[in-house]
Each structure stands twice: as C-alpha cells, then as structure tokens.
Amino acid sequence: MSKGKEKVSNKQFRWLPPMHETMLRILAQEAHKGNKPSSTFKAGSFALVAKEITAQFGVECHPSYVENRMQTLRTMWSTIQTIRKKSGFGWDDNLKMITCDPKTYQEEVMAHRKHAEFLNKKIDMYDELAIVVGKDTATGGFSKSYVDLEHEPHNADESAEYVADNVEEDVVEKGKNTVESSTTGSGISKSRKRKHSVSNADESVLTDLSDQLKEIAVALKEINRGPVDYTALYNEVMTMMADGYSEDMLATAFDHLCENEKTARGFLAKNARLRKLWLDSFLFTQL
C-alpha cells in the first residue's frame, strides 16, 4: 500500500460525488472501447477505475468496491426509469430532468422521500449512467469518447451542422436500404417513387432538426460562458412575484441559487413553466 493512502474496508468506503463522476466517465469510455460485452464490464475496467480513484483522492480503492458500487448505480437507474413511466411525470431531454407539478411532487415525495433528488432537478451525467448501467451502448455512429468530444467543433453553428450531418447520413442510408429492398417483386418504377418520397421527407425533417440544434447549441454556449450574472439572476427571480410568490420566498430562493452555481445556470436556462416547477419544489423542501 502506498504511503499516504488511507486504508478502508468495503463497508467503510464512502463514495463522494467526484468519485462517482470519475467512475461514470471511465466506465463510459470503457464501454466505448468495447469492454462492456454484456450487461457488465470486464474486470480490467473496474481495476482501472479503482486505480484512478486511488490516485486522485488518496484513499485506497479496490476493484471490488467499484463492482459493488455498480449495484447502487443500477438501483439509481431503475428508480429514475420507474418514475419516468409513472403518470403525471414528464421528461426534459435537454436538461435531463424529470418534471412534475407541485401536487405530483408532493405526493411522490410523501410516498418515496428519496425520490426528491430526481424530481425537477438536472440528473448529472445521465448519458454516462445510461451507458454504464442502462440498455444504451457506446457502439456505433452515436458513440463518442471524451477524447472525441474535446476535438468536436466549438462553434455553435458547426456543432449543429456536425450532428445534423451525422443524422442525415444515417437517415438517408436507411431510406436507401428501404428503397432498394422494395425493388424485389415491385418493379423499378415503384422503387424510384418511394426513393423520391423518402428524399423529400428527409430534407424537410433534417432542415427542422438542424435549426433546432443550432438554437440549442447557441443557448447552451451562452449559458455556460463566463461567470453567472447575479444581477440578472436576481431580476429574473424577482419577476416571479407576478406569479404570486412573496418577496421573502424569492429572496430565499435567490440566496440558494447564489450558493449553487450549477443550479443557478440551470434556473436561467429554464423557461417560465420549468422555473415555476423548480421554485415550488425548492420551497416545499424549506417547509
């Protein structure tokens, strides 16, 4: 054991949020490399996570701790998917957040208090969690390692075009295969008509998709650029007095946002309806 490393048992090992994030990042990369042949990973992947956590955090981590942690992640994933399937809950795929109204929130938390951490809040590293313990895999055209992400275009328009080009290529190829398979027993003329129809439909869909992706990319780039403008944040929070909230309530919410930069950025990114949902859930936790 290396000097300076704290020795702990499996039961004593405490998974801090940064450790959790490190584990998900590495295992998502491992899945991308093909080291998740089925529903679990190869032993070497767990060893890699343990080695990195030991090096980063100065606490000795064994591969068995990582393997045991997988059960916690599976339980978390199962809970998220169970809530999403319930009536009264929505899903914001841009923010990776389960949404619900105050009444539904209160009923759910009263029945399952621990579910509060998944409601009207961004689920950090949701995509990585889906790859690590969900049914998603990191193979094929839609998979990227963190090295790939670092080399993607940073310009908002280029990012949108990059995604749209990949989607277009996949859709057109599928359309081409559909047309080619239809020629057997149906004649060349029918095949050409279908191909023309698919082409027109693809063009319309991809145009809309490209425009939407550009808007999302620009919005996210603006939100994450530079420090949070707390004056603007204060003004945005206080405009909600028009919805019937008292100044004292909103001041409490503003203080909380000032202490949590990620939450503040998320608040500014939300539309009026989602801001109201977040505020209702936050005020409920203050009761």
Side-chain angles (χ1 to χ4, degrees):
M1 184 176 66
S2 300
K3 186 177 179 180
K5 302 290 190 303
E6 181 184 351
K7 186 176 181 179
V8 295
S9 68
N10 192 5
K11 290 183 179 180
Q12 294 174 322
F13 193 86
R14 183 183 177 188
W15 283 88
L16 301 175
M19 296 178 182
H20 169 85
E21 293 174 3
T22 298
M23 175 177 173
L24 286 176
R25 283 197 190 93
I26 294 175
L27 290 183
Q29 290 178 340
E30 287 296 287
H32 175 77
K33 296 173 183 176
N35 292 328
K36 185 189 176 186
S38 57
S39 60
T40 189
F41 288 84
K42 295 180 179 179
S45 298
F46 295 143
L48 184 62
V49 174
K51 181 179 178 181
E52 185 63 26
I53 288 177
T54 298
Q56 280 194 35
F57 303 100
V59 177
E60 188 169 4
C61 178
H62 293 282
S64 61
Y65 300 175
V66 181
E67 190 170 2
N68 289 335
R69 179 67 176 177
M70 287 290 290
Q71 184 56 47
T72 300
L73 298 182
R74 291 189 185 98
T75 300
M76 181 187 300
W77 179 255
S78 177
T79 300
I80 293 170
Q81 300 312 307
T82 298
I83 298 173
R84 287 185 60 181
K85 292 175 183 177
K86 288 186 176 183
S87 176
F89 294 93
W91 175 251
D92 188 320
D93 196 48
N94 291 327
L95 296 176
K96 307 300 179 187
M97 180 172 70
I98 298 173
T99 60
C100 62
D101 59 41
K103 183 176 182 295
T104 303
Y105 177 94
Q106 185 172 358
E107 291 174 351
E108 183 67 17
V109 172
M110 290 294 288
H112 308 280
R113 189 167 186 83
K114 290 185 178 180
H115 288 189
E117 63 179 296
F118 302 117
L119 304 178
N120 294 331
K121 298 176 183 177
K122 182 180 183 296
I123 300 174
D124 291 329
M125 304 193 75
Y126 178 88
D127 290 336
E128 290 80 2
L129 188 63
I131 292 171
V132 172
V133 293
K135 292 182 179 180
D136 289 4
T137 60
T139 57
F142 288 96
S143 62
K144 297 182 183 67
S145 70
Y146 285 84
V147 175
D148 296 330
L149 292 174
E150 290 177 358
H151 291 85
E152 285 186 3
H154 295 287
N155 179 273
D157 289 341
E158 289 178 0
S159 299
E161 289 170 4
Y162 175 84
V163 176
D165 287 345
N166 279 277
V167 173
E168 180 178 9
E169 187 176 36
D170 183 61
V171 172
V172 172
E173 183 62 29
K174 288 181 179 177
K176 179 181 177 183
N177 292 339
T178 301
V179 172
E180 289 176 352
S181 65
S182 69
T183 59
T184 304
S186 60
I188 300 300
S189 178
K190 188 175 181 180
S191 170
R192 288 177 177 172
K193 288 180 181 179
R194 288 187 181 181
K195 185 174 181 180
H196 181 70
S197 176
V198 170
S199 178
N200 289 339
D202 288 344
E203 184 177 356
S204 176
V205 170
L206 290 169
T207 299
D208 292 341
L209 177 62
S210 178
D211 291 341
Q212 292 175 24
L213 288 171
K214 287 179 181 179
E215 292 176 6
I216 292 170
V218 171
L220 290 175
K221 186 175 181 181
E222 290 301 319
I223 290 169
N224 293 312
R225 179 185 295 169
V228 174
D229 186 339
Y230 289 102
T231 301
L233 176 63
Y234 177 81
N235 292 332
E236 290 295 327
V237 171
M238 288 304 164
T239 58
M240 299 183 73
M241 289 180 66
D243 295 320
Y245 299 99
S246 71
E247 186 176 16
D248 289 344
M249 289 180 177
L250 294 175
T252 300
F254 174 70
D255 290 341
H256 175 77
L257 292 171
C258 289
E259 294 172 358
N260 298 272
E261 184 176 334
K262 286 185 178 180
T263 306
R265 291 184 186 277
F267 178 85
L268 291 171
K270 292 179 174 68
N271 59 29
R273 183 180 69 85
L274 292 179
R275 286 180 180 181
K276 190 173 184 300
L277 286 174
W278 175 85
L279 184 57
D280 287 337
S281 64
F282 169 74
L283 293 175
F284 177 77
T285 62
Q286 302 303 302
L287 298 177

